[in-house]
Amino acid sequence: MGQVLATTERVYDAAPERVYEALADYQVTRPKLLPGQYSEYEVRAGGTGAGTQVHWRLQATEKRVRDCLFTVSAPKPDQLVEKDANSSMVITWTVSVAGEGRSKVTVSATWQGASGIGGFFERTFAPKGLNRIHDQVLANLAAEVR
């Protein structure tokens, strides 16, 4: 088994504090950001930043649906880390300064992939698919932070 990594980023014309606030709002803002691959979104505890527990189903491909139960932590003031109780997946959202009144969001997802030929295909294709999904989330975030 090898670790699989998918990373996407986008720059916004919005202050980092505003962008982080939007990302940390799992109750109201996050559901608005999610594309059609997400279903059954539900906040089960908390709702803002660290301590939040959130469930969703992610349809990564036509045949692959992942049931996710994430617990959120905030190890740094500019970072949200989502750890899935149902898999080895960890999603890290980092907001950084990208110039005067601008910010950059980097979203990285990692998980332990399969071994053998299945693992080869997972490491080759899964990051591209997840990056497309996360890129859509980041595009939707742009409309929220204007």
Side-chain angles (χ1 to χ4, degrees), residues 50-88:
T52 297
Q53 187 180 61
V54 63
H55 170 267
W56 63 72
R57 290 176 57 84
L58 177 64
Q59 184 153 2
T61 67
E62 189 175 307
K63 296 180 181 179
R64 176 86 166 122
V65 178
R66 183 184 291 251
D67 188 72
C68 304
L69 180 60
F70 284 98
T71 300
V72 180
S73 65
K76 298 178 185 175
D78 61 350
Q79 196 172 68
L80 294 165
V81 177
E82 303 167 346
K83 291 185 180 181
D84 186 15
N86 298 332
S87 73
S88 61

Side-chain angles (χ1 to χ4, degrees), residues 34-128:
L34 303 179
Q37 291 92 342
Y38 290 82
S39 64
E40 300 180 29
Y41 183 90
E42 174 189 20
V43 174
R44 295 193 175 169
T48 304
T52 297
Q53 187 180 61
V54 63
H55 170 267
W56 63 72
R57 290 176 57 84
L58 177 64
Q59 184 153 2
T61 67
E62 189 175 307
K63 296 180 181 179
R64 176 86 166 122
V65 178
R66 183 184 291 251
D67 188 72
C68 304
L69 180 60
F70 284 98
T71 300
V72 180
S73 65
K76 298 178 185 175
D78 61 350
Q79 196 172 68
L80 294 165
V81 177
E82 303 167 346
K83 291 185 180 181
D84 186 15
N86 298 332
S87 73
S88 61
M89 182 173 276
V90 176
I91 303 173
T92 303
W93 302 82
T94 305
V95 180
S96 57
V97 175
E100 186 71 31
R102 294 171 53 96
S103 56
K104 178 173 77 171
V105 174
T106 304
V107 56
S108 295
T110 61
W111 67 94
Q112 288 300 314
S115 58
I117 191 70
F120 168 77
F121 284 107
E122 182 178 18
R123 287 186 303 279
T124 303
F125 297 109
K128 293 174 185 171

Side-chain angles (χ1 to χ4, degrees), residues 128-144:
K128 293 174 185 171
L130 192 54
N131 283 343
R132 277 193 299 275
I133 293 168
H134 281 155
D135 191 55
Q136 197 169 358
V137 172
L138 294 177
N140 295 342
L141 177 62
E144 285 296 314

